[in-house]
């Protein structure tokens, strides 16, 4: 039964959410935080740090010293009910006899899907759901997207001038935005599981696409190159990158790129190229993907309605004749033009960061 959340429940669930946010490297698993409260205070805290590592509930139980009898357990996602890399958290909690388990969301993973909560109820433990549900859905938008649609949460990141240009007509684009925006970009990269660009950007800019100016690991690098024209000397290959190409692209060039550190994924259908790429990335456990590409790839993502979020840095510069970031997307009517909602504006040095969710992005 879904009960009205009281303020205490919301307070502890917010603490659990803050803990969950630390789990940036736990994909393909969801980001989960857990707080155990008893006698008006917190006795245990935990979050899921890495796939294969202990779940948030186990960490919080450890932190509480093992005794959680009569306590309230706040967890941002339903405790698991199945044996995966770790034993079921629902069984572990049921044995420890807390009074209540408050889960913000039921787990959409078909292996769980309400079974964890059922186990707890069957063991006589009070169960509540729905506390800060919307915030918890947002926290796990990548996991939820992957579970519901078989593709990651896609953020399109662009650095443009006041007039929406990302490069001069000759392709020169470095640097449109300032140092602070570039540093922020590195932080955003570290929050994603994979970064994707197009071969046009590799040929023009030879980017490394790594995290250098922020804490965190470098995500998987993915490159769209339907005819394998990436130079084997490209910096993006250094340390490994996945190149998505068409089934009939040259074997010989594929081998040369593999020797240079690439892994080649051949996609059968040219028509469904992007959806197939996203499906493949999903299969590799990518919950969050950031697209940092030129106008051709960015326009395709926009036209095909495959972007969930926009992160647009605008520099106070006018480029005039140049390459517009979505210049290859064309719409017959103004009402067909994609809109972005829930927009937030942040100053970033002299630049402006505009972030929002595409209206065409399916509900979480
Ligand atoms: N300011 C910024 O935010 C920013 C970011 C990145 C790049 N840039 C600038 O953008 C310019 C490069 O633009 P670009 O448009 O050539 O680069 P791009 O979008 O990164 O790459 C385009 C290439 O990707 C390949 N591709 C594979 N699948 C595709 C698909 N579904 N849709 C579209 N293209 C696909 C195509 O080559 P094949 O047909 O051979 O596969 C296409 O020519 C450079 O000047 C660079 O500096 C600016």
């Amino acid at each position: 039964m879904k009960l009205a959340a009281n303020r205490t429940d919301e307070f502890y669930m917010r603490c659990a959410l803050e803990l969950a946010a630390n789990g940036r490297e736990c994909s393909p698993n969801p980001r989960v935080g857990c707080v155990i409260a008893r006698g008006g205070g917190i006795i245990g805290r935990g979050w899921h740090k890495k796939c294969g590592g202990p779940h948030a509930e186990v960490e919080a139980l450890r932190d509480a010293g093992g005794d959680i009898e009569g306590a309230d357990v706040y967890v941002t996602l339903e405790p698991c009910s199945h044996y995966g890399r770790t034993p079921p958290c629902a069984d572990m909690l049921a044995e420890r006899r807390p009074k209540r388990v408050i889960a913000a969301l039921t787990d959409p993973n078909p292996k769980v899907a309400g079974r964890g909560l059922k186990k707890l109820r069957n063991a006589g433990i009070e169960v509540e759901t729905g506390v800060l549900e919307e915030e918890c859905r947002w926290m796990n938008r990548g996991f939820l997207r992957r579970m519901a649609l078989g593709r990651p949460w896609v953020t399109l990141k662009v650095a443009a001038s006041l007039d929406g240009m990302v490069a001069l007509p000759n392709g020169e684009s470095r640097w449109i935005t300032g140092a602070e925006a570039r540093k922020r970009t590195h932080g955003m990269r570290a929050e994603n599981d994979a970064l994707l660009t197009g071969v046009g950007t590799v040929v023009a800019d030879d980017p490394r696409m790594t995290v250098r100016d922020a804490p965190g690991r470098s995500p998987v690098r993915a490159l769209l190159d339907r005819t394998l024209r990436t130079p084997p000397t490209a910096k993006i290959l250094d340390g490994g990158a996945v190149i998505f190409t068409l089934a009939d692209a040259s074997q010989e060039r594929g081998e040369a790129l593999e020797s240079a550190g690439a892994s080649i994924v051949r996609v059968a259908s040219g028509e469904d190229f992007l959806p197939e790429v996203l499906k493949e990335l999903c299969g590799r456990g990518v919950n969050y993907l950031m697209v940092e590409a030129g106008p051709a790839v960015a326009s395709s993502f926009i036209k095909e309605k495959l972007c969930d979020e926009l992160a647009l840095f605008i520099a106070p510069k006018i480029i005039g004749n140049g390459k517009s970031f979505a210049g290859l997307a064309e719409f017959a009517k103004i009402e067909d033009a994609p809109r972005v909602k829930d927009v937030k504006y942040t100053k970033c040095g002299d630049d402006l960061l505009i972030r929002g969710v595409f209206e065409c992005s399916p509900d979480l």
Side-chain angles (χ1 to χ4, degrees):
M1 187 174 56
K2 196 164 158 177
L3 297 178
N6 65 36
R7 297 184 80 129
T8 311
D9 284 350
E10 283 192 5
F11 171 79
Y12 287 127
M13 190 61 84
R14 205 166 293 288
C15 296
L17 250 178
E18 278 167 20
L19 294 171
N22 293 317
R24 284 188 202 92
E25 296 180 16
C26 65
S27 286
N29 286 353
R31 296 171 181 176
V32 186
C34 179
V35 159
I36 304 178
R38 190 169 56 195
I42 294 178
I43 60 166
R45 295 177 172 83
W47 73 90
H48 183 43
K49 298 190 176 81
K50 263 197 172 16
C51 181
H55 287 184
E57 300 90 320
V58 175
E59 293 278 10
L61 176 75
R62 264 186 213 158
D63 190 44
D67 168 22
I68 60 166
E69 199 175 335
D72 290 336
V73 177
Y74 295 87
V75 60
T76 57
L77 188 75
E78 171 182 6
C80 65
S81 56
H82 62 297
Y83 281 89
R85 291 182 178 94
T86 56
C89 289
D91 292 348
M92 178 278 288
L93 287 174
E95 274 167 29
R96 305 286 172 149
R97 309 308 306 161
K99 181 168 178 286
R100 291 193 303 158
V101 171
I102 303 98
L105 296 181
T106 49
D107 189 341
N109 183 345
K111 289 182 189 148
V112 187
R115 289 185 197 90
L117 299 179
K118 198 168 167 201
K119 274 190 175 186
L120 290 163
R121 281 196 189 100
N122 288 346
I125 289 158
E126 288 174 41
V127 169
E128 292 174 32
T129 56
V131 179
L132 298 189
E133 180 171 345
E134 206 177 310
E135 288 90 333
C136 290
R137 283 191 179 279
W138 178 254
M139 165 73 64
N140 270 310
R141 56 199 181 283
F143 176 73
L144 296 176
R145 189 54 92 236
R146 189 164 66 80
M147 284 293 140
L149 300 183
R151 71 162 175 84
W153 179 267
V154 177
T155 301
L156 175 63
K157 180 256 150 186
V158 180
S161 61
L162 283 175
D163 48 344
M165 300 298 155
V166 292
L168 298 175
N170 67 6
E172 191 188 330
S173 71
R174 282 180 168 164
W175 298 104
I176 290 179
T177 45
E180 219 167 296
R182 295 204 299 277
K183 189 176 164 68
R184 176 70 77 96
T185 298
H186 280 246
M188 284 162 54
R189 284 180 179 174
E191 285 165 18
N192 283 273
D193 303 317
L195 307 173
L196 180 143
T197 195
V199 61
T201 298
V202 168
V203 170
D205 297 345
D206 197 14
R208 277 176 281 178
M209 307 248 323
T210 51
V211 175
R212 300 182 297 280
D213 208 3
R217 51 101 177 87
S218 287
V220 167
R221 289 164 301 169
L223 170 55
L224 304 183
D225 178 4
R226 290 175 290 207
T227 59
L228 293 180
R229 59 190 172 97
T230 299
T233 52
K235 288 187 187 131
I236 195 169
L237 304 181
D238 191 10
V242 186
I243 300 183
F244 292 95
T245 192
L246 291 177
D248 57 0
S250 153
Q251 288 295 342
E252 199 185 336
R253 284 202 294 271
E255 280 159 25
L257 288 165
E258 276 169 346
S259 307
S263 66
I264 308 284
V265 176
R266 291 174 187 269
V267 175
S269 157
E271 265 183 28
D272 284 335
F273 191 63
L274 288 188
E276 288 295 324
V277 166
L278 294 181
K279 201 161 108 191
E280 180 70 32
L281 286 169
C282 219
R284 292 167 180 244
V286 171
N287 286 345
Y288 298 90
L289 172 71
M290 189 157 87
V291 176
E292 287 190 69
V297 167
S299 299
S300 292
F301 268 89
I302 289 173
K303 273 190 296 197
E304 294 185 39
K305 297 195 164 86
L306 291 172
C307 298
D308 296 295
E309 199 176 344
L310 177 70
L312 173 62
F313 290 94
I314 297 278
K317 265 184 199 143
I318 295 171
I319 287 189
N321 181 23
K323 297 184 177 192
S324 148
F325 83 83
L328 300 174
E330 200 175 312
F331 303 96
K333 290 183 259 153
I334 280 287
E335 60 258 39
D336 295 341
R339 275 187 69 88
V340 175
K341 61 183 180 181
D342 304 332
V343 183
K344 291 189 183 66
Y345 302 88
T346 316
K347 203 168 172 304
C348 209
D350 285 340
D351 304 319
L352 179 67
L353 170 59
I354 303 177
R355 286 193 90 152
V357 174
F358 280 91
E359 272 186 357
C360 59
S361 167
D363 286 343
L364 284 168

